Amino acid sequence: MLGMALAAIDGTIVSTAVPQIVGDLGGFTVFSWLFSGYLLAVTVTLPLYGKLSDTFGRKPVLIAGIILFLVGSLLCAAAWNMAALIAFRIVQGLGGGALQGTIQTIAADLYPLKERPRIQARLSTVWATSSVAGPVAGGLLAGYADWRWIFLINLPVGAVALWLVVRHLQEPSRPRPATRPRVDWAGALAVFATGALLLTALVQGGVAWPWFSAPSLGLFGASALLAALTVVIERRAAEPIIPGWVWRRRTIASVNLALGAMGLLMVAPTVFLPTYAQSVLGLGPIAAGFVLSVMTLSWPVSAAFSDRVYNRIGFRRTATLGMGAALLILLAFPLLPYPGEAWHPALLMLLLGAALGLFQLPLIVGVQSTVGWAERGTTTASVLFCRQVGQSIGAALFGAIANGVLAARLLDAPVDGLPGDLDAVARTLEDPGAVSSAAAEYLRRAVDAAVDHVYVGAAGAAALALLALITLAPRRFPVITEPSDSPTAPDPAATPTASEAAPARQDR
């Protein structure tokens, strides 16, 4: 849980300290890479760490990830300019990728199926709390101490996490393989390069350069060629980083697509709701953060009780129920009155958190329960990888939608010289004297329309998730009860033979 907190809080803690960091180091034009570089490194390394944990065990991968993360944190605190800080944030992300995927896999290893909802709900609570506390902690440290403490504070927390893992995490012994394990380093490099180019194109497109400019087209074209090369390399590899069975098995493929769609829709509340709360409702940053944070209150509670639902009706039906509710909630957002009260979107976010908790956790628990120990790390990493890629695609897609709606509305604006993108409009509305009251009201309505369109797009992503579950996922997940689910089992790594697995196989 401490390791999970490290990975979660560093995704957001830097956000409120950007003015102090830029004021000290400069580099305003590239500061967005403080977030993009970290996200990119986490995402593209998830498949590699998943395969490594299946090959060498979870504990060494987790220890290496914590150490790499702490080294990156120390280097970030010592950064002398923005370029160095961005490079060291990428080092942090390389460690963060090991934390995210391996911790989720260890939770499935240590706890039998009936107890996994409880531990996964606790991990979700850690993630939600850390994500909300990150901006607050970052603002306090930057305002009352020094922004470098944002990274130094990781060191004692990470040291305790590392000590606990080294001392107390005991992985049951596994039989030595007949041959020396081989790591598909060529495949790892190809996956890393493909993901890096694709995510760079998605994150920077429409921001650093236009979508249909030479840099965007070049990055997308290069990522497509590398993706084709990756497929060739992985087909020939003896132990591929992303094995073909990840997509050939209906259960895993459907969960990957469904959670990728969930990553897509999550961009609407996490990225655009704070802007809506401040620009349309007129709330301050703290109150706007509260409107979003209520989602993190209901999510882990719903997840903790989801086992009572899926034990009765199955994993797929429970997830379908949760995403169906999320679809209706997202469609209700554009129906909110203008300008409305703060409790209106807060209530919707509370309900959305409950719906998504009922959707995500049954799928993660379910898909982890359909594979043996030797495939669980790869399976978990593929699920998290798809969710992260979905978020990156969603940020690019919904950013283009919001800015397109704003541009259309501002063509007929009552005054000239108004900003043309969402961020600039939000900054203008923060300064009461920047424009006339009539122009400010027009801008608020334009922001309201833009966010409404984003939520409709998020509802479309919810529909895609439902489609993936209904058309691809089996009605009952083929759950395997491994020896690891029994406290007296000597070897949790052994995959049951056909005769042993038959009585331990359940459909849920």
Side-chain angles (χ1 to χ4, degrees):
M1 293 172 75
L2 284 175
M4 180 68 78
L6 284 175
I9 200 169
D10 254 73
T12 58
I13 194 172
V14 179
S15 59
T16 49
V18 166
Q20 289 78 14
I21 295 174
V22 171
D24 189 12
L25 301 181
F28 178 79
T29 57
V30 294
F31 82 87
S32 64
W33 273 100
L34 291 176
F35 315 99
S36 303
Y38 180 84
L39 173 65
L40 186 151
V42 169
T43 303
V44 298
T45 54
L46 278 169
L48 172 61
Y49 287 127
K51 185 62 179 179
L52 289 176
S53 74
D54 283 344
T55 304
F56 299 105
R58 326 296 189 206
K59 187 173 180 176
V61 173
L62 181 57
I63 291 174
I66 294 176
I67 292 174
L68 188 58
F69 185 90
L70 295 181
V71 169
S73 298
L74 185 61
L75 291 173
C76 285
W80 53 90
N81 58 33
M82 185 61 74
L85 183 57
I86 291 171
F88 298 148
R89 280 284 284 174
I90 293 175
V91 175
Q92 260 193 320
L94 296 177
L99 293 175
Q100 284 196 32
T102 311
I103 289 170
Q104 295 277 9
T105 306
I106 289 174
D109 289 341
L110 295 181
Y111 292 85
L113 178 58
K114 65 180 181 180
E115 295 184 20
R116 285 175 195 162
R118 176 172 59 87
I119 189 61
Q120 290 284 4
R122 290 184 180 182
L123 291 175
S124 297
T125 302
V126 171
W127 188 271
T129 303
S130 300
S131 298
V132 173
V136 177
L140 291 174
L141 290 172
Y144 296 98
D146 185 271
W147 63 264
R148 297 179 190 273
W149 280 100
I150 289 174
F151 304 104
L152 291 175
I153 201 174
N154 290 333
L155 301 181
V157 178
V160 174
L162 184 62
W163 179 78
L164 289 171
V165 169
V166 171
R167 183 175 177 85
H168 295 291
L169 178 59
Q170 302 296 331
E171 286 194 285
S173 60
R174 297 179 295 120
R176 290 181 176 271
T179 59
R180 184 180 179 182
R182 289 184 294 175
V183 179
D184 176 24
W185 294 114
L189 180 61
V191 170
F192 188 93
T194 303
L197 289 181
L198 177 60
L199 291 177
T200 300
L202 291 172
V203 169
Q204 295 298 104
V207 178
W209 48 71
W211 281 110
F212 293 102
S213 64
S216 279
L217 296 177
L219 285 171
F220 280 119
S223 61
L225 291 175
L226 279 176
L229 178 62
T230 302
V231 172
V232 174
I233 293 174
E234 294 296 82
R235 282 184 173 179
R236 295 179 177 179
E239 295 290 339
I241 294 295
I242 303 180
W245 54 259
V246 168
W247 294 105
R248 288 195 297 268
R249 298 180 190 177
R250 290 177 55 196
T251 304
I252 301 175
S254 61
V255 171
N256 283 346
L257 293 174
L259 285 177
M262 192 200 79
L264 194 71
L265 73 86
M266 281 299 297
V267 172
T270 57
V271 176
F272 292 93
L273 184 62
T275 300
Y276 171 87
Q278 294 182 68
S279 299
V280 178
L281 302 181
L283 302 179
I286 296 177
F290 175 77
V291 171
L292 173 61
S293 66
V294 294
M295 182 173 66
T296 65
L297 301 177
S298 57
W299 191 316
V301 174
S302 172
F305 287 97
S306 64
D307 62 321
R308 301 188 181 186
V309 182
Y310 68 65
N311 281 330
R312 290 178 177 270
I313 65 175
F315 290 117
R316 191 185 80 158
R317 290 180 180 176
T318 303
T320 301
L321 178 65
M323 187 52 73
L327 172 60
L328 297 177
I329 294 165
L330 291 168
L331 288 175
F333 188 91
L335 303 178
L336 292 178
Y338 175 88
E341 302 290 339
W343 67 267
H344 294 157
L347 177 60
L348 289 184
M349 292 305 99
L350 189 70
L351 296 174
L352 183 63
L356 293 178
L358 201 62
F359 168 79
Q360 177 178 260
L361 189 136
L363 290 183
I364 292 179
V365 172
V367 77
Q368 287 179 331
S369 303
T370 64
V371 294
W373 188 98
E375 296 176 341
R376 190 171 290 144
T378 299
T379 299
T380 304
S382 72
V383 168
L384 298 179
F385 176 77
C386 289
R387 188 180 66 184
Q388 292 282 88
V389 171
Q391 288 180 333
S392 299
I393 294 174
L397 176 62
F398 293 147
I401 290 174
N403 286 325
V405 172
L406 276 176
R409 295 299 176 102
L410 294 177
L411 282 176
D412 299 322
V415 293
D416 296 327
L418 293 179
D421 64 81
L422 189 62
D423 291 337
V425 169
R427 289 194 296 269
T428 300
L429 290 174
E430 290 177 0
D431 183 5
V435 292
S436 65
S437 58
E441 177 65 15
Y442 189 88
L443 288 177
R444 289 191 190 93
R445 289 189 175 274
V447 172
D448 180 65
V451 177
D452 284 349
H453 280 75
V454 167
Y455 269 81
V456 172
L464 291 177
L466 285 174
L467 184 64
L469 290 177
I470 294 172
T471 59
L472 294 178
R475 292 188 177 184
R476 296 283 181 175
F477 282 23
V479 172
I480 297 174
T481 303
E482 281 196 289
S484 58
D485 288 341
S486 170
T488 60
D491 178 19
T495 302
T497 62
S499 60
E500 294 169 336
R505 187 182 184 94
Q506 308 174 45
D507 287 334
R508 296 197 178 192

